[in-house]
Amino acid sequence: MTAVDTVTGTAKTMVLNMGPQHPSTHGVLRILLELDGETVVKAVPDIGYLHTGIEKSCEDKTYSQVITLTDRMDYLNPLGNNLVYCLAVEKLLGLEVPKRAQYIRVMMVELQRISSHLVWLGTHAIDLGAMSVFLYCFREREEILNIFEMFAGQRMMTSYIRIGGVALDPPAAWRQAVQKVLNMMPGRVDEYETLLTQNPIWIGRTKDIGYISREDAIALSMTGPTLRAAGVAYDNRKAFPYSSYEEFDFNVPTRTESDCYARYLLRVAEMRESLKIVRQAMAKITDEGPIKAEAPGIIPPQREKMKTEMEALIYHFKIFTEGFSPPPGEAFVAVESPRGELGCFVASDGSPKPLRVHFRAPSFVNLQALPKLVEGRLIADVVACIGTIDIVLGEVDR
Amino acid sequence: MEKGRAGLDQITALVGLQIVTESSIQKANVVVECLRSWSQQAVAEVIEFRGETTIVVPRNLLRAVAERCHADSKLQFNMLTDATCVDRYPIEPRFELNYQLVSIPRRDRVRLQVKLGGLDPVVDSLVPVWPGANWLEREIADLFGIRFNGHPDLRRILLPEDWEGYPLRRDFPVVGYRDVPSTGDLFKKSSLL
């Protein structure tokens, strides 16, 4: 954390402390702003207020226990966090996940992407004074969270994606529920656009605000919509496909203006692309089939088998008392979260607890470009710039 | 320090354990080849595991290798996505720094690794090569106590400035110490919770 005197100011400038409880910092982010009149001369972000030591806690958990912790990092994208961790452990184990489980995973993370973009759109608009968009966005997000509740029993901390597959078979009426969202969303996305895209106040508050050049964005390791709005078509789903994304037909929208307005248009376009993926995934998911890999000793056995087979009971006992031990080695997996490249690095020393789990948090890395976006601009635009990079402080601090 | 907690007993039993290298006779990686042809010392070891290539680089050559990876027209690793550290205490050299490089034009990934001893955990910063390394290195310095030469701003980033110790080191107990910074004598130093 940064001491107040880190930024001193001069006779001509003053230092303004923004946050950590400022409503538009989307959590507990503090920014020290050195101002010359209304112009930002220097901005120093200060983070760590939500640091919970998740990576340290992982050292004392078995591989399966870590999944519940991953939910709590980026709380708008718990399924994506589950996914990246499970993919990393599966890579360590050399485990093949059944296709049906892979398609369920894809469908769930794409629904999650839409719900995350909805929260982003609502809060970004409310920061800039468009109150009603927030209410509409949360109405639709509720429908998607209901689907998560159907699948996992939880709206937010789902822990639905597990090592080797997913936790449960899709519930009975899942097709109708997902179809309802698919029917509803395209019209609703159009509705948001009628509220904002041509809105002169919205355009005035976002166009040419928060510019970052393509070179700077790459140099500062920015990923996700912020990088794609700068004209770089880098998306992990296309560049390094995982979970059978190579079988899906979708586009990676890009823009070249690299301002807040371009990022808004890009995320709206991404919601439409995600709907396309959900539709395809729904068609690919068969009604019958395995949802977990065949790996005794790693995947908990079915309840029924435990009652009839001795080995299944022993495996169940072993998995939940001591866990399983992947071979020593390291694995790094990156997925495309709504915010950018979400990576997970897992190192194993051959014991049942991970030696090290590290998350490459897109919010954390993207946030370091904030000074570049705001310096030299007006103080009123700082709020727009924080919103536009879409940070989740739970993930920034971990 | 509480032993069983951090799983130290298990690790102690594994001292001298080597990382499994799968099929090192695989077809030579283009990155390895390119670095070898530039300098024989640049590549100390190549680890292939589960389809990922890890290139172990000597500490004194890290900056030069990184510059090569960034600038070479055959490699074009224009983005550093992640940097992190693994503490293999009590094995020496205990720290392994891992840098994940991405080449957007070539759609390739590689991992650079540097091993550092516990007595002198200092390495050249990669901020001059990839400015995005700034916060990633600050985080490592904050949580592992590794110093980066030439880093522009190596303040603590996640922990309070008066925090003592480096919590992600393996000899720091998972439950933490009882003493809370700035509570004075209220909580005694180094007593466990």
Side-chain angles (χ1 to χ4, degrees), chain B residues 45-60:
Chain B
E45 191 187 342
V46 180
I47 302 169
E48 289 276 350
F49 183 69
R50 304 285 189 228
E52 288 180 20
T53 310
T54 308
I55 301 175
V56 184
V57 179
R59 173 165 77 165
N60 53 344

Side-chain angles (χ1 to χ4, degrees), chain B residues 72-90:
Chain B
D72 194 305
S73 59
K74 272 186 284 176
L75 301 180
Q76 299 182 53
F77 285 106
N78 51 358
M79 189 190 270
L80 172 82
T81 62
D82 192 20
T84 188
C85 182
V86 176
D87 183 4
R88 290 197 183 266
Y89 178 82

Side-chain angles (χ1 to χ4, degrees), chain A residues 1-2 47 56 60 91-92 219 221-222 234 236 330 332 341 349 355-356 358 360 364 368 398, chain B residues 5 50 52 80-82 84-85 88 96 109 132 135 139 155 157 159 161 167 169-170 172:
Chain A
M1 288 180 205
T2 311
I47 60 172
K56 183 71 180 176
D60 198 32
K91 195 172 194 181
L92 267 183
S221 308
M222 290 186 103
Y234 176 65
N236 274 307
E330 291 150 10
F332 179 82
E341 176 169 313
D349 57 359
L355 175 70
R356 171 107 170 93
H358 169 75
R360 189 265 182 209
F364 175 78
Q368 69 175 329
R398 280 155 291 144
Chain B
R5 276 281 175 180
R50 304 285 189 228
E52 288 180 20
L80 172 82
T81 62
D82 192 20
T84 188
C85 182
R88 290 197 183 266
E96 284 173 3
R109 280 178 188 275
W135 280 22
E139 189 189 314
R155 291 174 293 123
I157 186 163
L159 301 175
E161 270 178 357
R169 289 189 175 190
R170 292 291 285 192
F172 194 100

Side-chain angles (χ1 to χ4, degrees), chain A residues 1-3 6 44-49 51 55-57 59-60 90-94 217-223 227 232-234 236 238-240 327-334 341 343 345 347-356 358-360 363-365 367-368 371 396-398, chain B residues 4-7 10-11 14 17-20 47 49-52 54 78-89 96 98 100 102-104 107-109 111 113 130-136 138-139 143-144 153 155-161 166-175:
Chain A
M1 288 180 205
T2 311
T6 314
V44 180
D46 180 18
I47 60 172
Y49 293 92
H51 182 57
E55 288 175 9
K56 183 71 180 176
S57 307
E59 290 178 6
D60 198 32
E90 283 155 11
K91 195 172 194 181
L92 267 183
L93 290 162
I218 295 175
L220 285 166
S221 308
M222 290 186 103
T223 46
L227 180 66
V232 185
Y234 176 65
N236 274 307
K238 285 274 189 206
F240 307 100
E330 291 150 10
F332 179 82
V333 174
E341 176 169 313
F345 176 84
S348 159
D349 57 359
S351 73
K353 289 175 181 175
L355 175 70
R356 171 107 170 93
H358 169 75
F359 289 97
R360 189 265 182 209
S363 304
F364 175 78
V365 183
L367 184 58
Q368 69 175 329
V396 172
D397 296 341
R398 280 155 291 144
Chain B
R5 276 281 175 180
Q10 285 160 356
I11 302 163
L14 291 167
L17 184 106
Q18 288 296 305
I19 303 293
V20 185
I47 302 169
F49 183 69
R50 304 285 189 228
E52 288 180 20
T54 308
N78 51 358
M79 189 190 270
L80 172 82
T81 62
D82 192 20
T84 188
C85 182
V86 176
D87 183 4
R88 290 197 183 266
Y89 178 82
E96 284 173 3
N98 292 292
Q100 316 284 351
V102 170
S103 165
I104 297 175
R107 296 201 171 185
D108 194 13
R109 280 178 188 275
R111 174 155 67 230
Q113 192 178 78
W130 295 284
N134 188 330
W135 280 22
L136 294 165
R138 264 179 82 185
E139 189 189 314
L143 302 174
F144 284 94
D153 178 23
R155 291 174 293 123
R156 284 207 183 259
I157 186 163
L158 293 172
L159 301 175
E161 270 178 357
Y166 305 103
L168 274 182
R169 289 189 175 190
R170 292 291 285 192
D171 47 1
F172 194 100
V174 175
V175 288

Side-chain angles (χ1 to χ4, degrees), chain A residues 15 37 57 67 84 103 107 143 146-147 162 167 170 172 189 205 207 223 230 232 246 294 321 326 336 342 367 381 388:
Chain A
V15 178
S57 307
I67 295 174
V84 70
Y103 299 143
M107 187 182 79
E143 297 286 333
N146 285 342
I147 294 178
R162 301 282 170 87
V189 177
R205 291 292 320 260
K207 213 157 199 167
T223 46
V232 185
E246 66 277 6
E294 274 297 322
T321 49
E336 193 68 25
L342 172 65
L367 184 58
D381 298 337
T388 196

Side-chain angles (χ1 to χ4, degrees), chain A residues 95-226:
Chain A
L95 205 62
E96 187 69 35
V97 179
K99 279 282 178 193
R100 182 162 182 256
Q102 293 190 14
Y103 299 143
I104 298 176
R105 286 175 170 192
V106 167
M107 187 182 79
M108 296 298 271
V109 293
E110 289 306 323
L111 285 171
Q112 184 87 77
R113 188 184 315 277
I114 300 169
S115 78
S116 171
H117 279 354
L118 285 174
V119 175
W120 168 80
L121 181 60
T123 52
H124 190 37
I126 212 170
D127 285 347
L128 299 182
M131 176 85 187
S132 46
V133 183
F134 179 83
L135 304 170
Y136 292 121
C137 288
F138 269 62
R139 180 183 63 187
E140 273 76 78
R141 175 175 179 256
E142 202 58 31
E143 297 286 333
I144 296 175
L145 292 188
N146 285 342
I147 294 178
F148 295 158
E149 194 178 351
M150 273 180 80
F151 271 75
Q154 287 271 16
R155 288 153 45 82
M156 287 181 76
M157 305 299 154
T158 50
S159 293
Y160 180 65
I161 295 171
R162 301 282 170 87
I163 295 161
V166 294
L168 297 161
D169 240 326
W174 73 275
R175 278 186 200 275
Q176 289 90 314
V178 176
Q179 192 58 52
K180 193 179 148 208
V181 169
L182 284 176
N183 293 342
M184 171 193 76
M185 275 310 288
R188 296 287 163 87
V189 177
D190 292 342
E191 212 171 280
Y192 313 141
E193 286 221 73
T194 58
L195 288 168
L196 293 173
T197 307
Q198 304 293 330
N199 183 330
I201 303 170
W202 178 255
I203 292 172
R205 291 292 320 260
T206 55
K207 213 157 199 167
D208 301 324
I209 308 289
Y211 174 78
I212 186 161
S213 72
R214 182 194 155 100
E215 289 70 30
D216 282 341
I218 295 175
L220 285 166
S221 308
M222 290 186 103
T223 46
T226 343

